[in-house]
Amino acid sequence: MQETQQERLIILDTETTGIDPKAGHRIVEIGCVEMIDRRLTGRNYHVYINPQMEMEQEVIDVHGLTNDFLADKPLFHQVANEFIEFIRGAELVIHNAKFDVGFMDHEFAMVNRGLPMTHDICTVTDTLKVSRDEFGSPKTLDYLARFYRVDKLVDRTYHGALIDAQLLAFVYIEMTRLQNTLNLQHGDGDEGATAGIRRIESNRNPLPVIMANAEELKDHEARLDTVEKKGSAPIWRLSVEDIATE
């Protein structure tokens, strides 16, 4: 019997000194969030990097990282191996992957130690392209976060790499929820592929209906209060009278 391999995703984002590595721009922050089988593991990779160059104020205004703050941080070649080992073998989930992977590969090449390119060690899913397929046009991470009502789950005063990776993880879970639900398994081997639909007997006994007790209703309302405080509008808020009449 073959062991089922767990799906390991790394939700990744970077912050940089500009938009074009060919113009000498560098990575200043890497943020990664690990998910296994669509569940956050709590294991992250986060590092600030000294770009060995002065950043313009308009760039600093975006991510909030100053030249003084980055001055004593490690250089990319000092963290390259640990970064590669963290992402190796995973599927990278990145919003606008062409940008981040372009910077990563440029940094790997600059180390000049025979480091692999990103596609040599990882597969890549670009949620920008996924959003284009889903919505008819590519959408920003901010748009997707608002659409899926997860924008209030993280504080994005600045566009930090780890913060944006955490937000993208929530977006990805919501974006792929329906796809995951429809990915039904009918069994192993040829038998599962040809088993067809299993019908329920029409003369079966009715299923018992178990009503929530007062304590469970209280816990339910408390949970919905928490959802509202995070900025969402719960659709399950029913009063005790509503439930009694259902």
Side-chain angles (χ1 to χ4, degrees):
M1 181 181 296
Q2 291 184 342
E3 183 179 352
T4 301
Q5 186 174 4
Q6 293 178 314
E7 181 186 35
R8 181 171 183 260
L9 305 179
I10 298 296
I11 320 299
L12 181 147
D13 187 60
T14 64
E15 297 296 338
T16 66
T17 63
I19 63 173
D20 186 1
K22 294 180 180 178
H25 297 149
R26 305 290 302 274
I27 292 177
V28 295
E29 185 185 6
I30 301 172
C32 300
V33 177
E34 183 185 64
M35 295 176 65
I36 294 181
D37 291 341
R38 293 174 50 81
R39 295 178 182 273
L40 293 168
T41 66
R43 186 166 175 251
N44 302 331
Y45 178 82
H46 182 224
V47 64
Y48 295 109
I49 299 168
N50 180 351
Q52 298 179 282
M53 62 178 295
E54 292 291 312
M55 291 182 293
E56 300 292 337
Q57 187 59 45
E58 62 180 346
V59 175
I60 296 173
D61 291 340
V62 173
H63 50 56
L65 304 176
T66 65
N67 294 305
D68 288 342
F69 175 79
L70 296 172
D72 63 349
K73 300 303 182 285
L75 306 182
F76 185 87
H77 75 84
Q78 295 174 308
V79 302
N81 287 329
E82 65 180 22
F83 172 50
I84 288 174
E85 288 310 307
F86 187 84
I87 66 174
R88 185 186 296 274
E91 177 182 350
L92 300 184
V93 178
I94 309 173
H95 199 72
N96 192 11
K98 182 178 180 180
F99 177 89
D100 297 89
V101 172
F103 267 94
M104 290 161 56
D105 286 347
H106 181 72
E107 294 283 0
F108 292 153
M110 287 183 63
V111 173
N112 197 25
R113 288 205 306 254
L115 296 182
M117 296 293 101
T118 304
H119 285 281
D120 294 332
I121 58 172
C122 300
T123 58
V124 179
T125 293
D126 189 347
T127 51
L128 185 68
K129 293 182 179 179
V130 175
S131 72
R132 180 188 61 197
D133 295 338
E134 291 291 328
F135 296 94
S137 62
K139 302 299 182 184
T140 66
L141 179 58
D142 287 331
Y143 175 94
L144 294 173
R146 291 192 298 270
F147 179 85
Y148 291 112
R149 296 185 176 182
V150 297
D151 53 309
K152 300 295 195 302
L153 297 182
V154 296
D155 180 8
R156 297 182 75 226
T157 303
Y158 293 108
H159 288 259
L162 184 60
I163 292 172
D164 282 2
Q166 291 169 338
L167 184 63
L168 181 57
F170 294 127
V171 166
Y172 180 80
I173 290 172
E174 296 300 322
M175 179 181 283
T176 59
R177 187 180 298 279
L178 179 60
Q179 174 186 343
N180 186 66
T181 302
L182 294 177
N183 186 23
L184 305 178
Q185 299 296 325
H186 295 290
D188 297 327
D190 295 337
E191 180 182 353
T194 60
I197 299 174
R198 180 174 176 268
R199 302 291 183 182
I200 299 176
E201 297 293 335
S202 59
N203 61 348
R204 71 189 186 280
N205 293 328
L207 295 174
V209 178
I210 303 175
M211 303 299 294
N213 60 36
E215 188 65 26
E216 290 168 335
L217 291 174
K218 181 179 177 181
D219 292 341
H220 174 71
E221 290 298 313
R223 178 60 180 170
L224 295 184
D225 288 341
T226 300
V227 173
E228 282 190 330
K229 288 179 181 178
K230 290 183 178 294
S232 297
I235 62 175
W236 313 276
R237 188 176 289 283
L238 297 176
S239 66
V240 176
E241 292 78 11
D242 293 331
I243 296 173
T245 58
E246 285 290 321

